[in-house]
Structures are given as C-alpha cells and as structure tokens.
C-alpha cells in the first residue's frame, strides 16, 4: 500500500516525521516513509512496496510528479523536466509494470 500525504513546503521535516519529537511514533518493521512524490520518490515507493513494505509518501505540493509537467503551448507540447531515461532492465520493468511505453527518440 502507498499512501500520499500533502505537507506544507519547508526545508524541515514535518513534525510527524521527526522521530525524536515528543509523541511521534517510530516506524514498525515493514513500514517506510518517502519524502517527495517526484519520479525518484514514486519509484522508491514502488520498489519498497514490491518488497512488501507499507509506504507513506509525503509531498509538499498539490500533485505528484516533481518537476515533470507537460504544458500545452501554441507550438505544441513542452516537457518541463526529464526528456529521456537510460533504458536499463530495471527502468523498462518499472515502465512496463506501470503501463508506460518506452520509445526510442529520433536521432
């Protein structure tokens, strides 16, 4: 299971993430928290759940995806972040599992 929570933008961990704060609980075996719902955070959460963990993803913005956005302009679609991935077996397996079709760019 992956749970996504929005928290206020900050350079400090939210109080519930500070395991030294009074009243906060420590994670149980098989639980994980991932800070950020960008591509790396979501991939990390996916791999952790594949390993049997229950994952809580904490994101400071109103949507997942990190810097990746697709904008519609008069000239066409514009991607605001990563435009390519190295096609390793691990990346291709992740893409296949989540329903993303890998394509080869035109030279």
């Amino acid at each position: 299971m992956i749970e996504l929570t929005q928290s206020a933008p900050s350079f400090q961990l939210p109080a519930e993430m500070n395991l030294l704060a009074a009243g906060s609980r420590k994670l149980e075996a098989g639980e994980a928290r991932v800070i950020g719902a960008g591509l790396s955070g979501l991939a990390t959460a996916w791999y952790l759940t594949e390993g049997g963990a229950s994952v809580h993803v904490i994101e400071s913005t109103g949507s997942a995806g990190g810097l990746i956005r697709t904008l519609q302009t008069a000239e066409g679609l514009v991607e605001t972040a990563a435009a390519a991935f190295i096609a390793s077996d691990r990346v291709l397996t992740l893409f296949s599992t989540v329903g993303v079709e890998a394509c080869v760019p035109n030279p």
Side-chain angles (χ1 to χ4, degrees), residues 3-64:
E3 179 182 344
L4 179 62
T5 299
Q6 182 177 352
S7 67
S10 172
F11 290 103
Q12 296 180 329
L13 290 177
E16 69 269 15
M17 292 299 297
N18 182 353
L19 299 180
L20 302 177
S24 64
R25 72 174 184 84
K26 292 185 178 182
L27 294 174
E28 300 293 327
E31 291 183 312
R33 291 187 179 129
V34 174
I35 308 298
L39 180 62
S40 296
L42 293 175
T44 298
W46 180 78
Y47 284 116
L48 287 167
T49 59
E50 287 293 297
S54 176
V55 180
H56 185 151
V57 178
I58 299 173
E59 172 58 41
S60 65
T61 67
S63 64

Side-chain angles (χ1 to χ4, degrees), residues 46-103:
W46 180 78
Y47 284 116
L48 287 167
T49 59
E50 287 293 297
S54 176
V55 180
H56 185 151
V57 178
I58 299 173
E59 172 58 41
S60 65
T61 67
S63 64
L67 299 175
I68 297 175
R69 298 279 183 273
T70 302
L71 305 175
Q72 177 68 51
T73 69
E75 291 78 26
L77 298 177
V78 175
E79 301 296 333
T80 63
F85 293 90
I86 296 173
S88 68
D89 288 341
R90 191 171 201 171
V91 167
L92 295 175
T93 299
L94 175 61
F95 280 15
S96 175
T97 302
V98 299
V100 173
E101 182 180 343
C103 62

